[in-house]
Amino acid sequence: FKGQWMSFSNFTKTMHPMYDSYHPYSCNTCKRGSLQKLNLVRCSGCKVVKYCCKDHQKKDWSFHKHWCKAFARVCDIENESDERVEAAEWKRRQDDTNTKIMSIMMGDLRHSNHLQMAYFQPHCRRCFRSGRVPCVDLVVCPSCNGVAVCKSCLGNEQPT
């Protein structure tokens, strides 16, 4: 990776909509994240989408707000469990969440990320606990920035 995408400074470029997709561990506007050593902040509404700066959060709000409000209605963070689940149960829950969100949004898919945000929200790749729950501390893969494992599961890893 070279050029502005790997820079540490704030810049105004955003991802072209044709290539835009949700990346749970990157800024939802510019797609930069921990690979560039940026500290990301989560949206205070849904606690799923992340941004590298307030400017990018403001820039994305017109696209994000409808989904954010629907997601917040469906997924109350205080009622969300930090329990470990099997992959099939996690998938069933994500399907149920998406169905409810799309019902609230009445099928409004103005942004291609809407379905991806519910399915690929930050979670532990091993135990499937949600990264939205404050007690679940996720460690993002430093090589790919695409998956994470909670510190509890990471502590159980056997050296190979």
Side-chain angles (χ1 to χ4, degrees):
F1 295 107
K2 294 183 180 180
Q4 289 184 329
W5 292 106
M6 289 303 288
S7 72
F8 298 109
S9 61
N10 190 6
F11 68 103
T12 59
K13 288 192 178 284
T14 58
M15 187 66 67
H16 187 281
M18 187 167 88
Y19 303 108
D20 192 14
S21 63
Y22 172 67
H23 299 280
Y25 310 106
S26 300
C27 174
N28 203 46
T29 304
C30 68
K31 308 306 180 206
R32 297 181 311 151
S34 62
L35 292 177
Q36 293 82 13
K37 307 210 183 325
L38 295 173
N39 290 324
L40 301 173
V41 294
R42 291 190 298 181
C43 170
S44 61
C46 66
K47 307 220 180 333
V48 171
V49 175
K50 296 180 180 183
Y51 299 98
C52 65
C53 63
K54 288 280 187 197
D55 186 46
H56 285 190
Q57 187 173 11
K58 288 178 185 174
K59 192 176 281 189
D60 190 46
W61 184 241
S62 63
F63 295 109
H64 178 62
K65 68 180 172 185
H66 196 174
W67 182 88
C68 179
K69 290 175 182 182
F71 188 84
R73 277 182 57 192
V74 171
C75 298
D76 182 3
I77 188 73
E78 294 178 17
N79 293 328
E80 197 163 334
S81 170
D82 69 342
E83 69 181 304
R84 297 169 188 259
V85 296
E86 296 297 319
E89 173 61 14
W90 180 83
K91 170 102 171 56
R92 187 197 63 72
R93 289 180 185 180
Q94 301 314 310
D95 286 341
D96 187 45
T97 298
N98 260 342
T99 300
K100 290 176 182 174
I101 292 170
M102 290 303 111
S103 174
I104 291 169
M105 294 177 67
M106 295 190 279
D108 181 6
L109 295 173
R110 287 179 288 164
H111 201 282
S112 65
N113 290 349
H114 287 151
L115 291 173
Q116 295 172 5
M117 286 187 283
Y119 277 117
F120 303 121
Q121 61 180 290
H123 66 281
C124 176
R125 193 69 171 184
R126 180 165 287 159
C127 69
F128 295 97
R129 293 188 303 164
S130 172
R132 296 178 65 239
V133 179
C135 65
V136 178
D137 196 7
L138 297 176
V139 177
V140 179
C141 174
S143 298
C144 72
N145 195 42
V147 297
V149 178
C150 70
K151 286 189 176 179
S152 173
C153 287
L154 191 61
N156 295 334
E157 291 241 339
Q158 298 297 319
T160 55

